[in-house]
Amino acid sequence: MTDVPAPAFDGKAFAAQLSTAPGVYRMYAADDTLLYVGKARALRNRVGSYFNGSPKNARIMSMISQIARMDVTVTRSEAEALLLENQLIKSLSPRYNVSLRDDKTYPHVLLTREDWPRIALHRGPRAIPGRYFGPYPGVTAVRETLNLMHKLFKLRSCEDSVFRNRSRPCLQYQIGRCSAPCVELVPAPEYAESVRRAALFLEGKSDELTRELGEQMQAASEALEFEQAARLRDLISSLRSMQTRQYVDGRAADLDVLAVAMQGSQACVLLLAFRDGRNLGTRPFFPRTNGEDSAEEVLAAFVSQYYIEFEPPREILLDREIPDADLLVAALSASAERKVQLKWNVRGERAGYVELASRNAQLTLATELNSRNAQHARSDALREMLGLAEPVKRVECFDISHTLGEATVASCVVFDAAGPVRAQYRRFNISGIEPGDDYAAMRQAIDRRFRRAVEEQGVLPDVLLIDGGAGQLAQAQAALADLGVEGVLLVGVAKGVERRAGHEALVMPDGRELRPGAANPALQFIQQVRDEAHRFAITGHRGRRQKARMTSKLEDIPGIGPRRRASLLKHFGGLVGLKAAGEAEIAKVEGINDALAARIYANLHGLATPDAAE
């Protein structure tokens, strides 16, 4: 009995039975792959437009030809449809939608939520409780902002492990950039007020802050509190000095400038940001166009997806008009709970900023395309050198880093034909092995990475690079064999006798060694991947080692809270002095009885711990 082919999708009939309400539609292929997600002011009209027989570009025609079914979701408003569309694009990554690559490296300023808040640069998931200001175009802009914050408001920047264990102020206090809350040289209410002022400044309300400080200065003067009035006067002077140096159109501005450049289906959107009149610099983005060749559509998709996730400024300047601008304004204003403007065809100084962003977008795209072309050439050279029939789509590399066996970390970096895929990098904290056993560390890392791929039917690399010689390569081979993983070409990257770049030997699974030489593009590609794995492993190792060393041993002792810990470290001048003290000396510290002193001494010296009961 032969299978009866599924009937072709009747788009006209499907659209005819839809309502004219706003909503979101989703197109699926025969294998249930999501092709496209779109929003509609009127679902019947928008979906019907795909099947009305009018001419459409090749990308749309290709998409329509693959439709096997469609789903719709009715929303209460078009703005709600826009929000839902962007959520679905981000979570489902449809094949034909323009999508902004998910980048968790956007830098923010973090103001933590705790008794003595700290202010710091933050990248990655927002796991730490507090307020996040940004994103900023780059790390330099964040550091400049933090430099200002420390000068103006004297908030702490140290990690909690350092803050809890200080017994005297650090250098930041000595140079006037911190008020030393670690040793309570500043009253808690005064520090909380500095935190509130810093938040106002970061929100772009420096004018409001200046007026408020002026009123407080006048009140302090009338109350004859002249020292407080002088401090407020100096703060106001610093704020006004900053405002006179940094402005747009002669007044404080809160705006972003966006320009798009395209070459074929490759696009670059450049963001130039101003906050409270300060130029924070530029940042390029390279959205996946998935065949879309309209710069207006690409820019509209960027504005929609970027500002739905991050708070928009009051004013966004564009280098061209975009579709659904009124809808975007309504949605962004509702999201920000204040008026947001989209502008194009601007004049004066703002036109100069748009032209600057446009020129930089074109230059950045040209540089990126040259880099991609070179990367593709190196990838092709790798395929030829390794004798592969198909292009190399995915390369992974593993490296191990430790210091004399301490805090061993394995890294796994991922490259495709276009370069590094940083969102898929992974680190593995290695445990349960003999310190310094690189072979066991490599086997554990390979097992953990590929066991999950086997269980979840995840993606496998075409080429797996192992930083090391035949020994490390054999461990990787054994781990893959145990898991039944096939179709992955293993290559060991062994340093030459002189350990010089370009003299590496490539160790193949059959025992052969290839020495391509420094000028070979394939080896240059392998070096790039290997060096990135090495950098990523060292960064993870140093972070793990520093965390272990910065975490006081006192934190693991039952009965020792922040107050007792601070008292002990202050009394003995630090952990070294405490370790040198006897039980009787430890018991002299306020809040420490004999039993607790014995437990502290035992923990610090690796002795059997006395009964924790007091």
Side-chain angles (χ1 to χ4, degrees), residues 259-280:
V260 61
M262 291 197 67
Q263 186 171 328
S265 61
Q266 302 295 323
C268 172
V269 177
L270 190 112
L271 167 67
L272 169 61
F274 294 88
R275 292 296 181 272
D276 202 27
R278 292 181 297 121
N279 186 336
L280 301 182

Side-chain angles (χ1 to χ4, degrees), residues 50 54-66:
Y50 288 99
S54 62
K56 299 173 180 64
N57 63 35
R59 169 176 167 269
I60 298 299
M61 292 302 296
S62 173
M63 181 181 73
I64 293 173
S65 68
Q66 300 176 56

